[in-house]
Amino acid sequence: MSRFDIVTLFPETFSAVAEHGITSRALKQGLYQLNFWNPRDFTHDKHRTVDDRPYGGGPGMVMMVEPLRDAIRAAKESAGADSSGECRVIMLSPQGSKLDQQKVIELSNISQLILVAGRYEGIDERLIESEIDEELSIGDYVLSGGELGAMVVIDAVVRQIPGALGHQDSAEQDSFSNGLLDCPHYTRPELFEGAAVPEVLLSGNHQLIEQWRLMQSLGRTAERRPDLLQKVDLDEKQHKLLQKYRQRAKNYP
Ligand code: 4GX
């Protein structure tokens, strides 16, 4: 992934990813590009109108067709002009398929993503059919616009770009990279408000620590997200570690 082209009425809101943290550092390192296409810049009337009334009536507005179409097309033309890799047009919407880490990895292998962040009640269905390749949802709740969803996509995809994460952490270490939830983490002090750090983490035995972390990941995934555990094939060692976790949970309720 080298380039995101975002179609939005609110490009300033993307300062959240452009100016903070890992996504900002990667941008400054030139590991990816962000470009904005504002439908308001593709209006021709005095009031720069970007919304329109829905056929059939009812409350709420729909994005005006021509400025949005022209913004998407301008994004496509500029993107298409600069490369040979795949370009995909994605619209954020509660009607889309749910974003997960597998989809994030798929998207990270596409060189140009055009993210359409809609406002109001939505966009004309014919525009979806003609200009949008894929609808994506970041979860089953209603946002005020697609911008936060687009930022979620950018953040998760940028983490997959080689060199984006500090050399300390790697995308392989992330939660979900093996389909499991993360293990618990601890830092100083050794005794915090009466609660101790698990002894194994103080042992200095790295093989044992690795095993304990994997056991915790397996156990927590089984307890909290059995749906995720069903999707991974556990090997013999992992089965044994999960049994061990369950045995311990029984002994120390
Ligand atoms: N995951 N929203 C988009 C406007 C809209 C509606 C329909 C296109 C079609 C959302 C989500 C989300 C609210 C963003 C409605 N645009 N986006 N917006 N959940 O709730 O991604």
Side-chain angles (χ1 to χ4, degrees), residues 11 21 42 56 73-74 78 89 95 99 101 113 143 174 235 250:
F42 294 83
R73 288 201 181 153
S78 82
V89 183
Q95 279 77 49
L99 182 70
Q101 192 64 13
L113 294 179
L143 303 170
D174 271 352
D235 60 27
K250 249 190 282 173

Side-chain angles (χ1 to χ4, degrees), residues 68-79:
L68 181 58
R69 175 200 60 197
D70 292 346
I72 295 171
R73 288 201 181 153
K76 282 185 189 178
E77 276 162 30
S78 82

Side-chain angles (χ1 to χ4, degrees), residues 13-190:
T13 62
F14 287 80
S15 59
V17 288
E19 295 172 20
H20 301 275
I22 286 168
T23 47
S24 172
R25 184 179 60 196
L27 184 62
K28 285 168 187 154
Q29 287 178 324
L31 296 181
Y32 73 100
Q33 269 182 48
L34 275 183
N35 302 296
F36 298 99
W37 306 91
N38 191 337
R40 206 174 285 284
D41 296 333
F42 294 83
T43 57
H44 303 287
D45 64 318
K46 180 170 135 230
H47 296 111
R48 309 183 81 201
T49 310
V50 289
D51 61 351
D52 211 341
R53 291 154 59 207
Y55 277 119
M61 298 293 273
V62 176
M63 291 191 77
M64 190 176 168
V65 164
E66 294 85 354
L68 181 58
R69 175 200 60 197
D70 292 346
I72 295 171
R73 288 201 181 153
K76 282 185 189 178
E77 276 162 30
S78 82
D82 115 341
S83 95
S84 44
E86 189 188 344
C87 172
R88 195 181 295 182
V89 183
I90 293 172
M91 181 175 73
L92 283 303
S93 155
Q95 279 77 49
S97 57
K98 199 93 66 71
L99 182 70
D100 61 13
Q101 192 64 13
Q102 187 189 324
K103 174 62 75 173
V104 166
I105 287 161
E106 178 190 323
L107 297 182
S108 73
N109 291 309
I110 299 174
S111 57
Q112 301 169 340
L113 294 179
I114 297 176
L115 299 174
V116 178
R119 284 269 154 174
Y120 315 119
E121 304 311 311
I123 82 175
D124 190 293
E125 193 63 24
R126 296 163 296 180
L127 207 45
I128 300 178
E129 283 160 10
S130 63
E131 302 291 340
I132 306 291
D133 296 321
E134 182 173 359
E135 291 179 72
L136 271 187
S137 167
I138 63 159
D140 294 335
Y141 36 77
V142 183
L143 303 170
S144 304
E147 285 79 8
L148 284 169
M151 286 187 247
V152 166
V153 171
I154 294 166
D155 186 286
V157 170
V158 166
R159 296 181 65 80
Q160 299 301 318
I161 301 175
L165 300 183
H167 54 268
Q168 297 278 2
D169 26 38
S170 83
E172 278 105 69
Q173 296 265 318
D174 271 352
S175 200
F176 291 123
S177 62
N178 54 5
L180 300 173
L181 298 182
D182 207 358
C183 62
H185 302 279
Y186 297 87
T187 185
R188 295 182 302 170
E190 223 176 285

